Amino acid sequence: MKKFFTIFALFIVFAGIFGYFQGKSRLNAISSNPNTVLLEIPKGSSPVKVSQILHEKGVWTDDLAFKVWVKIHKPSLKAGWFEIPEKRTLGQIMAIIESGKNAVRKVTIPEGRASWEIPAYLKKAFPNLDENLWNKLIQDPSFARSLGVDANSLEGYLLPETYPFPIDADEKTIIKQMVDANLRLRNELQNAPGPSMWQTLGNWHRVLTLASVVEEETGKTDERPLIAGVFHNRLKIGMPLGADPTVRFIFKNLTGPIYKSQLNSDSPYNTRKFKGLMPGPISNPGRKAIEAALHPADTKALYFVAKDDGSGTHFFSSTLAEHNKYKDVAAKNRGE
């Protein structure tokens, strides 16, 4: 009998040791998903529900190990969308869910795009984005006011940069995030020390309006203050801005020739025909163009024309005669 109890005791010990290492092995096992998996944890999900979701998504299928881990660690589970990379332990998986850091999709919006062009960039990350709803929201004054924008349109208020949009973001969420970034920049620049053209331009809407033209006229950062200086000089003496991009905006004619009939348009956005600033921006300017509008170069130039020599730069002049000479040079550069 004594021998029996000894053997039984040894069995219990070895079984315990085996169970301990077996359990530890299962708890430290690697997740089943061969690739990153996106999953949603609904609000109020219990550990049982989370285990079910992980099982259904093929991330973690050892329900017993999950129950043991939860009993030991008593996690604080968060709701949201989460990306679970491959080859993760249960502890690492649960740490992602406990963090509450929702999965995002990064999208880069280039400078100088009109609002109707932006969905093309967003659709790579959000294929179900509704362009019609997007355009309707952009042109909705009540929606603009709800975001803190006193304008009839949100054109110009969608700040170009790289955004980490929530994975489940809809049209309103995306627009709000972009407008919020624009208004934060407004507050930063408005409170910056030193002189600027705030008082001359009057308000943020007019700053964005001028900046949008500067943005469309050149992609060269060092030229933007000069071009802004030309436009400020023209505004000061009551000379039309004469900016072709404003005509392109009217007809959504982004490339190709501008026709005489378009140049004769009675749209208030036609700066070839009417003096002063347009009613609003023609695109969404980036920070550098906005800073140029606020801090233009001190120049006497009233004209500029593209050199058309492959440099992407312009000739600047203070007289029409000099401007016409530069136009002839540009024509020769084009081989005309």
Side-chain angles (χ1 to χ4, degrees):
M1 183 64 71
K2 185 177 180 180
K3 185 177 180 180
F4 170 77
F5 279 113
T6 300
I7 294 172
F8 181 73
L10 289 172
F11 173 78
I12 294 298
V13 171
F14 283 119
I17 294 172
F18 176 80
Y20 170 79
F21 283 105
Q22 178 70 12
K24 187 175 182 180
S25 175
R26 290 173 69 173
L27 289 173
N28 291 328
I30 299 301
S31 57
S32 309
N33 51 309
N35 301 298
T36 298
V37 171
L38 176 68
L39 53 84
E40 181 185 14
I41 304 298
K43 190 175 181 179
S45 293
S46 65
V48 173
K49 177 64 175 176
V50 173
S51 177
Q52 179 185 346
I53 293 170
L54 293 175
H55 200 132
E56 289 174 352
K57 290 290 186 178
V59 174
W60 191 267
T61 56
D62 191 339
D63 297 331
L64 178 59
F66 184 90
K67 289 177 182 178
V68 171
W69 193 95
V70 167
K71 191 171 184 64
I72 295 171
H73 296 278
K74 297 179 174 55
S76 176
L77 302 173
K78 303 294 192 303
W81 288 90
F82 302 95
E83 286 184 315
I84 311 298
E86 69 277 11
K87 296 181 180 180
R88 291 299 187 271
T89 64
L90 182 55
Q92 290 171 329
I93 294 169
M94 297 304 286
I96 292 172
I97 297 174
E98 284 190 275
S99 73
K101 294 180 180 178
N102 284 315
V104 297
R105 287 286 178 265
K106 287 189 176 182
V107 181
T108 298
I109 307 300
E111 298 173 342
R113 297 299 184 271
S115 62
W116 65 79
E117 296 179 271
I118 292 177
Y121 299 92
L122 293 169
K123 280 200 165 188
K124 297 172 184 177
F126 301 95
N128 294 323
L129 185 132
D130 187 333
E131 289 188 54
N132 291 328
L133 176 58
W134 172 273
N135 292 326
K136 183 178 179 180
L137 289 169
I138 295 297
Q139 301 301 327
D140 183 350
S142 61
F143 181 57
R145 285 193 292 273
S146 75
L147 299 182
V149 174
D150 185 17
N152 291 327
S153 166
L154 288 172
E155 189 71 66
Y157 289 85
L158 308 175
L159 187 67
E161 60 180 44
T162 298
Y163 289 92
F165 293 117
I167 198 73
D168 59 342
D170 59 12
E171 293 80 7
K172 285 187 175 181
T173 303
I174 293 171
I175 292 172
K176 183 179 186 306
Q177 193 167 336
M178 297 182 72
V179 171
D180 285 348
N182 177 282
L183 297 183
R184 283 196 300 273
L185 178 60
R186 175 199 63 187
N187 295 340
E188 176 192 337
L189 296 179
Q190 195 169 24
N191 295 321
S196 74
M197 300 301 290
W198 271 102
Q199 188 172 359
T200 301
L201 290 171
N203 57 47
W204 185 239
H205 187 75
R206 287 172 63 82
V207 171
L208 293 176
T209 300
L210 180 57
S212 70
V213 188
V214 173
E215 185 75 79
E216 295 307 300
E217 288 287 8
T218 182
K220 299 293 183 181
T221 301
D222 58 346
E223 273 200 344
R224 285 171 181 159
L226 271 170
I227 286 179
V230 169
F231 288 142
H232 274 286
N233 289 343
R234 288 188 166 208
L235 289 171
K236 191 183 299 183
I237 64 174
M239 181 179 178
L241 295 183
D244 287 348
T246 64
V247 180
R248 293 187 182 279
F249 172 80
I250 299 167
F251 299 96
K252 294 186 178 181
N253 174 19
L254 302 180
T255 59
I258 298 177
Y259 300 102
K260 185 177 290 188
S261 59
Q262 294 176 334
L263 293 173
N264 288 327
S265 168
D266 287 329
S267 167
Y269 282 87
N270 185 0
T271 62
R272 288 287 296 268
K273 190 171 185 178
F274 301 108
K275 300 176 182 179
L277 284 176
M278 317 83 73
I282 59 172
S283 67
N284 293 280
R287 182 186 184 111
K288 294 298 183 183
I290 294 171
E291 288 177 336
L294 284 170
H295 303 281
D298 184 9
T299 178
K300 293 182 180 180
L302 286 171
Y303 306 91
F304 62 88
V305 61
K307 293 179 180 178
D308 284 332
D309 60 354
S311 67
T313 57
H314 296 76
F315 292 118
F316 292 84
S317 52
S318 56
T319 66
L320 182 59
E322 188 180 15
H323 175 60
N324 287 333
K325 289 180 181 179
Y326 281 138
K327 286 173 68 176
D328 291 338
V329 174
K332 290 179 181 178
N333 288 339
R334 292 193 300 271
E336 295 178 4

